[in-house]
């Protein structure tokens, strides 16, 4: 209701204009739905353009000599239909939550992904959390101590983190800390004796152990998680350190920061209220892209540490031309990217009011 007596109520357009963040979010969700459809199309087309015969990969060369067996197998998996009909059937299955049946495990792809995706999410989530804490902290320290010894040291460390190949670092870390020094546990997500000790509620070993009150399982899960998470995080730490340093230095030169200093505001207030809030926008962008890259780039790290994640599942599916599984992995990774970008867009609007107004 209006505060002025006798004034007309606000129009519908006025009420919509009063919530720019809602309109901003609705536009992003609609765009995400459209892009999700595009992901299904691209994934389906690229998967079917892969050279190789899925019949030979799954049945072997001997079965190819029997046309009846080949025809029956193609009919069972819908490969005897034109591509456009296969895509329509694929979309119908997705609308009902059906990603198809894996040609290797003979289980629904959704069940396979529900088993393997949480392991990768746990690993990538721990890596991005460590990266955000250390990368932003190092970047701020380097910017505040520009051209000093600590700044040069952090820049060198960030350059090393970006330059060192992740798979080589994983091999070195596994050899040194597990094989030679015996400081970290071996492969897998928990000790073999504790495997299956807690019921799978979320699929995340650390969370499920806390929910079950099993501190022994929790400590074992954290111990197995530390080394691969740090290995994955090193590249992102270097990237975030460089971006945060650059963003903070740019904001420190703005007029409103100089005005805040002239007013005599405490340095901590200027840093957290003015500098970091403005500098976080590009940092959030890099962090979102880095998290998506971690999800899709954990194949070698998972192989070295025997981490049963979606990377290993995708590798085995690709080598056997398990088309439903490959398309399922591609769809899940694409949707994760979309969700991350949506979260990043929302954080833009929360942090920077100019985004909401635009």
């Amino acid at each position: 209701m209006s505060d002025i007596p006798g004034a007309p109520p606000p129009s519908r357009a006025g009420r919509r204009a009063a919530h720019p963040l809602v309109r901003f979010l609705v536009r992003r969700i609609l765009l995400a739905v459209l892009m999700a459809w595009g992901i299904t199309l691209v994934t389906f087309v690229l998967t079917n353009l892969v050279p190789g015969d899925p019949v030979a990969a799954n049945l072997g060369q001997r079965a190819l000599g029997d046309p009846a067996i080949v025809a029956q197998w193609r009919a069972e998996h819908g490969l005897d239909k034109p591509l456009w009909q296969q895509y329509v059937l694929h979309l119908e299955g997705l609308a009902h939550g059906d990603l198809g049946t894996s040609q290797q495990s003979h289980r629904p792809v959704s069940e396979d992904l529900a088993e393997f995706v949480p392991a990768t999410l746990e690993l990538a989530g721990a890596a991005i959390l460590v990266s955000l804490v250390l990368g932003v902290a190092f970047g701020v320290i380097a910017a505040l101590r520009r051209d000093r010894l600590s700044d040069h040291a952090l820049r060198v460390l960030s350059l090393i983190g970006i330059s060192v190949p992740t798979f080589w670092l994983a091999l070195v870390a596994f050899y040194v800390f597990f094989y030679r020094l015996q400081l970290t546990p071996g492969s897998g997500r928990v000790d073999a004796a504790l495997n299956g000790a807690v019921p799978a509620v979320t699929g995340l070993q650390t969370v499920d152990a806390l929910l079950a009150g099993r501190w022994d399982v929790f400590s074992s899960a954290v111990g197995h998680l530390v080394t691969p998470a740090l290995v994955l995080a090193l590249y992102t730490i270097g990237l975030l350190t460089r971006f945060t340093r650059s963003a903070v230095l740019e904001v420190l030169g703005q007029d409103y920061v100089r005005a805040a200093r002239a007013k005599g505001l405490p340095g901590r207030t200027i840093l957290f209220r003015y500098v970091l809030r403005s500098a976080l926008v590009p940092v959030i962008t890099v962090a979102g892209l880095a998290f998506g890259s971690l999800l899709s780039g954990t194949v070698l790290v998972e192989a070295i540490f025997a981490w049963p994640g979606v990377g290993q599942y995708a590798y085995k599916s690709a080598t056997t031309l398990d088309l439903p599984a490959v398309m399922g992995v591609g769809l899940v990774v694409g949707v994760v990217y979309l969700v991350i970008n949506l979260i990043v867009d929302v954080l833009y609007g929360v942090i920077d009011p100019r985004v909401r107004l635009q």
Side-chain angles (χ1 to χ4, degrees):
M1 296 180 62
S2 174
D3 294 335
I4 303 176
S11 63
R12 184 178 299 176
R15 290 195 297 269
R16 287 201 303 266
H19 303 284
L21 186 58
V22 174
R23 292 188 291 114
F24 177 81
L25 182 59
V26 169
R27 288 198 302 268
R28 289 298 186 270
I29 292 176
L30 293 177
L31 181 61
V33 172
L34 181 62
M35 293 183 66
W37 170 78
I39 289 173
T40 63
L41 180 60
V42 172
T43 303
F44 180 84
V45 172
L46 292 180
T47 302
N48 284 275
L49 288 178
V50 172
D53 188 1
V55 179
N58 288 273
L59 297 182
Q61 293 295 330
R62 289 186 177 182
L64 292 179
D66 191 336
I69 295 178
V70 173
Q72 180 182 0
W73 193 90
R74 288 185 176 275
E76 289 177 355
H77 295 87
L79 299 179
D80 58 336
K81 298 180 175 60
L83 280 179
W84 69 269
Q85 291 186 8
Q86 295 181 36
Y87 180 64
V88 170
L89 293 175
H90 178 60
L91 289 181
E92 291 178 354
L94 292 179
H96 294 86
D98 182 13
L99 298 178
T101 302
S102 172
Q103 299 164 1
Q104 291 298 308
S105 65
H106 304 290
R107 298 196 310 168
V109 175
S110 57
E111 293 184 4
D112 288 343
L113 292 176
E115 178 180 344
F116 292 108
V117 169
T120 299
L121 286 177
E122 186 173 36
L123 179 58
I128 197 63
L129 181 62
V130 172
S131 302
L132 283 172
V133 174
L134 296 181
V136 173
F138 289 165
V140 171
I141 294 172
L144 295 179
R145 303 183 62 84
R146 182 180 183 181
D147 295 332
R148 298 183 184 180
L149 179 60
S150 55
D151 178 27
H152 294 306
L154 289 173
R155 291 168 66 183
V156 170
L157 288 176
S158 67
L159 183 61
I160 293 174
I162 295 174
S163 304
V164 175
T166 303
F167 73 91
W168 180 84
L169 183 64
L171 288 171
V172 172
F174 187 82
Y175 175 77
V176 172
F177 295 108
F178 169 67
Y179 182 74
R180 298 294 299 180
L181 301 179
Q182 299 290 318
L183 294 177
T184 58
S187 57
R189 300 178 67 186
V190 292
D191 295 336
L194 298 175
N195 193 19
V198 295
V201 179
T202 64
L204 309 177
Q205 285 284 356
T206 52
V207 177
D208 291 343
L210 289 177
L211 293 177
R214 292 290 301 271
W215 293 101
D216 54 341
V217 179
F218 176 77
S219 61
S220 175
V222 171
H224 283 78
L225 184 62
V226 167
T227 306
L230 289 177
V231 168
L232 275 178
L234 184 62
Y235 173 83
T236 312
I237 290 173
L239 194 65
L240 288 176
T241 299
R242 297 176 70 88
F243 268 88
T244 304
R245 179 184 182 276
S246 177
V248 171
L249 285 176
E250 183 179 354
V251 175
L252 287 174
Q254 298 296 322
D255 292 337
Y256 61 87
V257 176
R258 296 193 187 99
R261 288 174 175 170
K263 290 180 180 179
L265 293 178
R268 182 176 300 179
T269 302
I270 296 175
L271 176 63
F272 289 100
R273 184 174 297 180
Y274 295 94
V275 177
L276 275 183
R277 184 169 184 179
S278 299
L280 278 179
V281 174
V283 174
I284 289 175
T285 304
V286 176
L289 295 175
F291 183 72
S293 299
L294 289 176
L295 283 177
S296 57
T298 59
V299 178
L300 293 176
V301 175
E302 289 181 357
I304 292 170
F305 289 95
W307 194 268
V310 71
Q312 288 297 293
Y313 180 71
Y315 172 75
K316 293 178 181 177
S317 301
T319 54
T320 58
L321 290 181
D322 190 349
L323 301 185
V326 171
M327 288 189 290
V329 172
L331 179 61
V332 168
V333 173
V335 170
V336 169
Y337 266 101
L338 290 179
V339 172
I340 292 172
N341 286 330
L342 179 62
I343 294 174
V344 168
D345 288 338
V346 173
L347 291 177
Y348 283 166
V350 173
I351 294 174
D352 194 346
R354 294 172 296 180
V355 176
R356 299 197 297 267
L357 295 176
Q358 292 172 0

